[in-house]
Every structure is written in structure tokens, then in C-alpha cells.
Amino acid sequence: MIKRYKRRLLYAVIILFTFFLSTCDWEINLFPLPECTYNLYKYHIIEDFEEGEIYDLETGGDSKWRCDVNEKCAGDYSLRSGSIGDSGETYIRFKYYNESSSTLRFYYQTSSEYDYDYLRFYVDNSLEKEWSGCDDGDWDYYEYDMFDPGEYVFKWTYEKDGIEKDCDDCVWIDNLEIF
């Protein structure tokens, strides 16, 4: 009988502790990499590619994006641009309905001809930011603030010029998050 009360007490403590944590604004880092941290209760991860498949993103262009095990920010997979030739383009995109002020964050790495082949990020078909060059394994992140409610269309492209290639001739993104 005492065991049953101890078990009930333990369940009550677990429930209260879980409720307490879920209402706090504590940073809980699941991964020790400083450039790839998560807050367990703040972020809604749209896609981390850890299934090794692309589910909620549309991919297309001259070649489709694919999951990659060789380069990743955190976890086992990232998303790598499709293999394209000179003057080619490959893209991924998704739609998101924003209900309140939010931020989209994603991690990226480029391995391309500097100032000629670009990872480009578009919001509602308008160029927001672009990157190029050989990052040599360094991941960085970008954040886009959504102040207004409504539908947003996010698109990433890898676009090549018509002349030559450099580095690995591709780009990666990882851990699409909205918070």
C-alpha cells in the first residue's frame, strides 16, 4: 500500500514538474553545438530532416534537393541542393500561415563559386538574402521576422552562373524553425 502512494506521489511530482517547465521560458539545449541550439519549449521545428526524407517542402527546378548525411548542422541529416549544371537552378519552398508575430530561423552553409553561384532566400517571391562562397564546414543561421498575420511563401534556391564551378558546387540548409 505504501508503494502505491509513493508511486502516486512520484506521478504527481512528474506532472507538476512537467507543467512547471512548460510554462517557463528556460533555455534547454538539446545539442551542445553553439551554432545549432534549440529551446525545447519555444521553437516549433518545421523541418530538421532527421527522417532522411523531405515531407513538407516542395522541391524542383533542374534537380531536386535531397537529404545529406555528410554535412549537417546538428543531428544526422541536412538538406542539400540538387546537382545542377551551368546556368541551372534548384529550389525548395513551403507555405506557412502566421497567426501572430513570429520568426523563421534556418541554418545554412554554402560551398559555391564566390559572387557567381548563390544560395538565395525569397519571401513571397521577393529576394530577401543571398550567400555565396566556400564556407569550409562553417554553419551560420538567418532569421526572418514575420510581423503581420497571413500566409508567407518561403523559397530557397541554388542558382549557378554559366561559366565554372568551385568548391563542392552546392549548398545546405538545416533545422527550419519558427518561434
Side-chain angles (χ1 to χ4, degrees):
M1 183 144 171
I2 292 177
K3 276 186 164 180
R4 187 171 11 153
Y5 289 116
K6 284 183 180 180
R7 192 174 333 153
R8 286 184 182 170
L9 179 61
L10 178 62
Y11 290 150
V13 169
I14 290 172
I15 290 170
L16 287 173
F17 184 71
T18 304
F19 175 76
F20 175 74
L21 282 179
S22 66
T23 59
C24 291
D25 195 22
W26 290 5
E27 295 278 332
I28 299 176
N29 292 330
L30 297 177
F31 299 100
L33 300 172
E35 66 273 2
C36 301
T37 58
Y38 299 93
N39 178 314
L40 190 58
Y41 297 105
K42 264 188 179 176
Y43 301 137
H44 172 68
I45 296 177
I46 298 298
E47 185 64 76
D48 60 6
F49 314 109
E50 292 308 303
E51 297 293 321
E53 297 288 333
I54 303 170
Y55 294 110
D56 298 325
L57 304 173
E58 176 189 343
T59 179
D62 297 322
S63 180
K64 293 185 176 188
W65 290 57
R66 66 183 191 277
C67 291
D68 186 13
V69 297
N70 297 316
E71 286 291 332
K72 59 247 178 205
C73 182
D76 294 324
Y77 294 94
S78 68
L79 195 61
R80 179 183 173 142
S81 59
S83 298
I84 55 175
D86 291 341
S87 302
E89 175 186 315
T90 179
Y91 70 86
I92 57 165
R93 70 177 161 206
F94 77 97
K95 293 179 183 178
Y96 177 76
Y97 187 81
N98 185 46
E99 295 180 6
S100 63
S101 183
S102 301
T103 299
L104 168 75
R105 177 190 295 158
F106 62 91
Y107 295 84
Y108 66 91
Q109 182 182 158
T110 61
S111 186
S112 65
E113 185 182 11
Y114 182 74
D115 273 345
Y116 292 98
D117 300 342
Y118 287 95
L119 167 62
R120 291 191 166 118
F121 173 60
Y122 296 86
V123 178
D124 298 329
N125 292 318
S126 179
L127 180 63
E128 177 68 25
K129 190 80 173 161
E130 62 184 14
W131 303 269
S132 70
C134 296
D135 285 344
D136 295 326
D138 294 333
W139 287 84
D140 204 351
Y141 69 89
Y142 183 74
E143 293 181 347
Y144 176 78
D145 294 320
M146 298 175 280
F147 297 110
D148 299 321
E151 186 175 86
Y152 289 81
V153 178
F154 299 109
K155 181 180 178 182
W156 293 261
T157 64
Y158 179 51
E159 302 172 28
K160 290 180 50 64
D161 71 344
I163 300 175
E164 61 184 78
K165 66 177 242 170
D166 196 11
C167 304
D168 291 325
D169 203 26
C170 64
V171 297
W172 295 268
I173 64 167
D174 204 354
N175 301 326
L176 305 177
E177 308 164 333
I178 293 184
F179 56 97

